[in-house]
Structure formats: C-alpha cells, structure tokens
Amino acid sequence: MISTNNVSLRYGKRTLFEDVTIKFVPGNCYGLIGANGAGKSTFLKILSGEIEANTGTVEIPPKARLAVLKQNHFEYDEYQVLQTVIMGHKRLFDIMQEKDAIYAKPDFSEEDGLRAAELEGDFADMEGWNAEYEAAELLSGLGITENLHYAQMKDLSGSEKVRVLLAQALFGNPDILLLDEPTNHLDAESIMWLENFLDNFQNTVIVVSHDRHFLDAVCTHVADIDFGKIKMYAGNYSFWYESSQLAVKQRSDANKKTEDKRKELEEFIRRFSANASKSKQATSRAKLLEKLTVDDIQPSSRKYPYIAFKPEREAGNQILHVENLSKYVDGQPIFTGVDFMVDKGDKIAVIGRNDIAASSFFKILFNEEKADSGEFKWGTTITASFFPKDNQEFFDTDLNLVDWLRQYSVEKDESFIRGFLGRMLFSGEESLKKANVLSGGEKVRCMFSRMMLQSGNVLVFDEPTNHLDLESITALNNSLRDFDGTILFSSHDLQFVDTIANRIIELTPNGMIDKRMTYEEYLQDDNIRELRKKMYEKATV
C-alpha cells in the first residue's frame, strides 16, 4: 500500500496539488489521468521520493519495495541487458555483487566465509537462483530476443532500451509499481503481454498512459487529477470518460427528476459491468459500481478540441495504386514487394515491426523520399492531405498562430482564423503565441487545423497520436471514425487503430500482408500470426 496525507505542491503562484489525501491499496491497478500539465508524472515522482512536496507526507510500509520505470535511457549503458533487469531489485543485486566479490578473493578468510553464508541465506530467501530466468522471461515477453540478453545496453536501440527498463521495473515482484507511459515504443504483441502481466499482478500498480485500450484492460480504478485535487473512481478509463459525459448531460438537464437520473445511472453501470473483459477487473468493478450514486459521478473540467475533416469534393473510384514498391536503408530491406490498390472508403492501418517502415512508405507517396523499386499512382480526383510524424520544419518561424494558420487558408479574415484556432483550444491570447515555442501537443493540433483547411478527400497520418493528451486523442479518434472518405494511417494506439481501420496492411522486409478486418481480429488470428512469424523469420535468414 502507498498513501498520501495532505500533499501540496506549488511552483511560484501555480498550484499543482492542494491537500491531496489518497490511498492506493494492493490488488488494484490505478490509472492516473489528467490534462496535459496537470501533474501526472510529477505526482509519480512525489510518490517515489524523487520530488519533495511543499507540504504533506507519503507513507509506505517499512519493508515494502517500490519499483519505478526509469526515464533515463543512458543510465545503464555500461551494463549488460540481463544485469540491468536484475538491478531493478537493488537489495538482491547488491547481494549478488557482494557474493561474487567475496568468492573471487584469492585470500578467502574465515570471516569471508561467515559473510558469504549470511549472504547465501538472504539470496535464497529472495529466490535469487531464479533471478536470471525471471529476467530472461520478462525480456522475451517484451520482445527482447535471447541474443540480446548478454549485450551491452549501449549497443541497443532506443526502443529496445525502453523495453529493458520496463522489464527492470517489473522484475522481482515489487510491492508498489509506478509506471509512467509504459507502452511507449512497444508493439501490439508486447502491449498485450504487459496487459496480461499486470492483470495477474497481485500488488499495487499506479500507471500514467495515453493508451486508452491499455488503461481499459488493466485498470480497476481511475485517479483523476482535476482542479488541483485527485479524485478516485471505480472502473477503467472508458467508464470514467462516459460517466463524466453522463454527469455533464444530467447536470444540464435541470428538469429531469432524481429518480430518472438514478435509473439512467443504473442502466449505464449494468452495461459497463456486462462488458468487463478481464476477470480481476470484472469482479472488482462489479462490486464497486453497485455502490455508486448519482452524486458520485461528476463532470470533468477537460476541454476537447473540435476536429472535423470535410472533403471539398468527393473522390472518384480510382484512389491509389501501389505496384511492387520496395525500400532499403543501408542495404537492408525495410519493406519489399508492396503491391495493392486502395478502394473508396478504405481506412487502412499501415503497420510493421520496424518503426520507420510506415514513415518511409508515406514519405514515398508524397515524394519526400524515393523508393528503390516500384511505382505508385494517385487517382486524378484525389486531394491527399498528409500529417508527417516529424513536423518541426513547419514551426521554424516566429509567426504567431493567427499568421501561421493564415498561410494555409483561402479565407484570410482574422476572425475566421481565430475561430478555427479557438476550436482547437487556442483562444484569446493563446492564438497570438509564437509558432516556434509551441509544445509537441500544440503543434499537432495546429497540424490538424492545417489539414482541415486543405479539405482533402484522402487523409494520410503518420503516428498522429504522438504528443497528444487523452482528450485530443479521443476527439481525433471520433473524427476519423466518422470520416466518410479514405484514410491511410499508422499508430501504436491499439484502440485508435481498432476503432478506425477496416483494413490492415503490414509491411515486412519480405513482402506484405493485406487483410480486410479489424486490428483486434488481425492480432488474434492464429493463421495470420503464423504467417507474420514466417515473413520476419525468412527476412532474417
């Protein structure tokens, strides 16, 4: 268990938290949510002791072991991968190091023997003989293959380092587990593995994530940072989101009787209880949801941007034809033999184990890169709008946002431009901010505004949910789900992909896989799983 008592944190005149008293108990997984800048990561740092609050205390049982997902990807560069994972259990690792040092002594004394015996006892109590096996299992589950287990951390890619540090946090069954964005850089299979791991984890988990599918899969509770307070809700993220929307609706309906509102809430709870998918969460939620009253659900202060893509003209039947396209980097194939036609109404998720495969493919379609072989052709009626993963070049300017967006608008009137920015949450003085000082999430919202003004009938997005908060992801998700035109996109957000895509195209170094189905169906299909394995195995021969 971990709890806080009257914790407050202020930066100058700004108050992040005020008198927060909250308790996190074993057997539950808590999703810590809040708007960008609300202080989610900061609160985790207060819990871990990395940051000291201005007032109040954090209480942890004396013998409880707390593990944190480290954010410094270079901290362990001089250590082996397997060793780095075991370092997650500091006491066990220290015992192993001291034991090895004693046994390596050329002049082993009686005193050394007594100390070694003591260490061996502690080592056995911690089941230290299983340490390497457990560490290897965690690494394999997170997609780090055996040939890398004894490699140096400095020789791993950034994505691989993130996975090793996640394995380090999970190692040794910690009593309290603090995870800040644990799904970053994980593929779908690794995320599902982590979901299953946490579903079976019996201790306390507190997690910050922008991955809604992940939060829904693992969370028994949501801890919402709002108005400088943290309020606890039973249920997962979707339950919190829909209940907060229900609260807004009920409070706006002044004429509705309390009894009618109560029945509406009961029906809402019944629906969510029936849809619970995980055994541990289903049992926990069902008991807690039954106790909810109308006053327990509250509207959120969150603001959602208005995102709506409307094509200027309807696309014809000829959308895009890709023929035998291949791309190599440093002599290695990124993708080969990409051959397909896009049909009207297709919403295609372009995926691949190599993160740069989809990015390179999209850049080729917009003539920002050249393919090594093959060709493509857009239909004559097509106006395609592209959202690139890297948007920095668009913001290397000291124009304010009104003038920045005016560049991409046929209508130049300032009130029109300000209205557009207002819908994307840049109101009043915010619309006069310089483009070159925007945060990552603000830049993404500006790029959406630019795309909306282009009125394309085919939309192409390369990782559009990067840098976005949950509110903006939800708004974009709903917009693309309702869009009548054609979409090609890449994303690591499983729910985003699953609720938008009706077709999956996977780019591999040894050809492509093209299936008309949802992403969930694609991942669960045994035949496809076997085919994917062969495609990648063949590529490494």
Side-chain angles (χ1 to χ4, degrees), residues 207-407:
V207 60
V208 171
S209 177
H210 287 96
D211 187 324
R212 296 160 301 158
H213 182 278
F214 177 73
L215 289 176
D216 280 347
V218 304
C219 290
T220 57
H221 296 73
V222 164
D224 179 33
I225 303 178
D226 209 358
F227 303 109
K229 301 290 186 180
I230 302 181
K231 185 172 176 60
M232 193 79 77
Y233 296 89
N236 59 17
Y237 175 76
S238 288
F239 181 83
W240 170 84
Y241 171 73
E242 293 201 26
S243 65
S244 70
Q245 298 301 303
L246 176 62
V248 171
K249 175 177 173 291
Q250 289 194 341
R251 278 160 176 70
S252 67
D253 194 348
N255 297 321
K256 199 166 191 178
K257 295 179 180 178
T258 302
E259 179 62 19
D260 292 336
K261 290 182 179 180
R262 185 183 63 78
K263 288 180 179 177
E264 188 176 23
L265 174 63
E266 287 175 348
E267 175 55 35
F268 171 71
I269 290 170
R270 268 196 300 273
R271 177 166 59 84
F272 255 89
S273 295
N275 288 340
S277 59
K278 298 275 188 179
S279 56
K280 184 177 76 174
Q281 280 80 3
T283 304
S284 175
R285 289 173 198 158
K287 290 178 181 176
L288 292 162
L289 300 186
E290 288 169 2
K291 300 176 183 177
L292 281 181
T293 68
V294 170
D295 293 331
D296 288 329
I297 65 169
Q298 297 182 7
S300 168
S301 67
R302 307 285 207 289
K303 293 181 179 178
Y304 293 79
Y306 175 78
I307 303 175
F309 299 97
K310 298 176 182 177
E312 189 171 19
R313 63 172 178 172
E314 186 176 351
N317 292 325
Q318 302 297 317
I319 307 290
L320 172 66
H321 184 200
V322 179
E323 190 172 358
N324 202 30
L325 216 61
S326 296
K327 177 68 177 180
Y328 292 76
V329 174
D330 297 328
Q332 297 299 313
I334 302 302
F335 57 80
T336 60
V338 178
D339 198 303
F340 67 96
M341 290 188 69
V342 176
D343 295 327
K344 197 171 181 180
D346 275 349
K347 294 184 178 180
I348 302 172
V350 180
I351 67 173
R353 289 186 184 173
N354 190 324
D355 282 346
I356 69 171
S359 295
S360 292
F361 176 69
F362 292 147
K363 286 177 180 178
I364 288 168
L365 295 184
F366 287 87
N367 296 309
E368 294 180 12
E369 281 187 15
K370 288 188 178 296
D372 289 292
S373 64
E375 56 187 25
F376 66 92
K377 185 177 182 181
W378 290 99
T380 56
T381 63
I382 299 307
T383 305
S385 295
F386 179 40
F387 175 94
K389 184 189 295 188
D390 182 4
N391 55 40
Q392 185 54 44
E393 65 178 283
F394 292 91
F395 297 95
D396 286 335
T397 173
D398 61 356
L399 290 174
N400 65 44
L401 290 191
V402 172
D403 292 335
W404 182 89
L405 190 58
R406 187 184 275 125
Q407 302 174 98

Side-chain angles (χ1 to χ4, degrees), residues 37 41 66 104 113 119 140 160 209 220-221 225 243 265 284 316 357 507 524 530 538 541:
S41 296
L66 183 146
L119 292 171
S140 297
E160 289 166 341
S209 177
T220 57
H221 296 73
I225 303 178
S243 65
L265 174 63
S284 175
L507 309 180
Q524 298 297 335
E530 191 61 32
K538 193 171 182 181
V541 171

Side-chain angles (χ1 to χ4, degrees), residues 130-199:
N130 293 324
E132 289 200 4
Y133 174 76
E134 182 191 339
E137 270 202 322
L138 290 170
L139 288 168
S140 297
L142 290 167
I144 301 297
T145 54
E146 282 188 39
N147 63 304
L148 294 176
H149 289 189
Y150 292 94
Q152 295 289 111
M153 284 288 285
K154 64 184 176 185
D155 296 326
L156 269 57
S157 68
S159 171
E160 289 166 341
K161 285 182 179 180
V162 170
R163 294 164 187 252
V164 175
L165 293 178
L166 179 54
Q168 181 192 73
L170 302 179
F171 177 77
N173 194 37
D175 300 289
I176 301 157
L177 185 55
L178 307 182
L179 300 175
D180 193 354
E181 297 292 354
T183 62
N184 281 0
H185 303 288
L186 298 188
D187 57 20
E189 288 89 347
S190 297
I191 292 173
M192 288 191 293
W193 178 91
L194 180 59
E195 289 172 358
N196 288 327
F197 180 94
L198 294 179
D199 188 47

Side-chain angles (χ1 to χ4, degrees), residues 486-514:
T486 300
I487 305 172
L488 288 85
F489 70 102
S490 67
S491 175
H492 284 91
D493 186 316
L494 197 153
Q495 184 171 337
F496 187 80
V497 177
D498 193 54
T499 53
I500 296 171
N502 55 22
R503 184 177 176 185
I504 310 296
I505 290 180
E506 181 158 6
L507 309 180
T508 85
N510 199 62
M512 60 173 280
I513 304 171
D514 183 359

